[in-house]
Amino acid sequence: MLKKIDHLGIAVRSLDEAVPYYEKALGLKCEHREEVHSQKVRTAFFAVGEVHLELLEPTDPESPIAKFLEKNPAGGIHHIAFGTDGIEAQLQQAAGAGVKLIHEKPFDGAGGKLVAFLHPKSTFGVLTEFCTPKPGATAQH
Ligand code: ZN
């Protein structure tokens, strides 16, 4: 079951350039930075109430974020992530409803979470992530 909007993923060219905007102009505090090798990105997290912002900077031209920035040179909202208490069941439900999955199986994302994505062609253009704390992991977000 989907429990909340966990975070919004925002593609940026450079964390070092983007983080000061969130800190100085918006007054948010960067809680956590982490490199996610599976997605070839560096991330920086900000809390806004219950929801987080996940800034994503590519570390490799093959990163999905690098490809997004080719099409959207200014950066922008890349994905919406729903927190779920049963990621496998959530994927099965989506697949059963005819949604194309990018990942059939959840994998390690940022913040000690298991994550998986639905294909934007099946979600009316919104790249959609499901995420859940990894069993035994200390959630950081
Ligand atoms: Zn995400």
Side-chain angles (χ1 to χ4, degrees):
M1 188 181 194
L2 297 185
K3 296 294 189 186
K4 60 178 179 178
I5 292 177
D6 186 85
H7 63 268
L8 299 175
I10 298 171
V12 300
R13 296 198 159 272
S14 156
L15 288 183
D16 288 338
E17 286 175 14
V19 164
Y21 160 71
Y22 289 91
E23 289 185 329
K24 297 201 173 90
L26 301 187
L28 300 172
K29 188 173 165 292
C30 181
E31 291 190 320
H32 175 65
R33 283 200 188 208
E34 179 181 349
E35 187 159 344
V36 183
H37 297 282
S38 60
Q39 293 290 285
K40 300 187 174 75
V41 291
R42 266 189 289 273
T43 64
F45 282 89
F46 296 85
V48 189
E50 288 280 291
V51 179
H52 288 80
L53 304 178
E54 174 187 44
L55 303 190
L56 300 150
E57 174 196 294
T59 56
D60 186 284
E62 290 305 304
S63 165
I65 298 302
K67 294 186 172 142
F68 179 86
L69 288 169
E70 278 171 25
K71 289 181 206 145
N72 305 275
I77 294 183
H78 177 257
H79 65 271
I80 182 168
F82 294 104
T84 171
D85 56 2
I87 193 164
E88 301 266 6
Q90 210 74 53
L91 288 169
Q92 274 175 22
Q93 179 180 342
V99 169
K100 189 167 179 245
L101 308 181
I102 297 178
H103 308 101
E104 306 268 335
K105 290 274 163 211
F107 62 96
D108 288 339
K113 289 187 172 160
L114 286 174
V115 305
F117 287 84
L118 308 183
H119 200 287
K121 282 196 173 129
S122 296
T123 60
F124 300 88
V126 179
L127 178 59
T128 300
E129 173 184 339
F130 294 146
C131 66
T132 195
K134 220 169 145 179
T138 323
Q140 303 200 37
H141 309 295

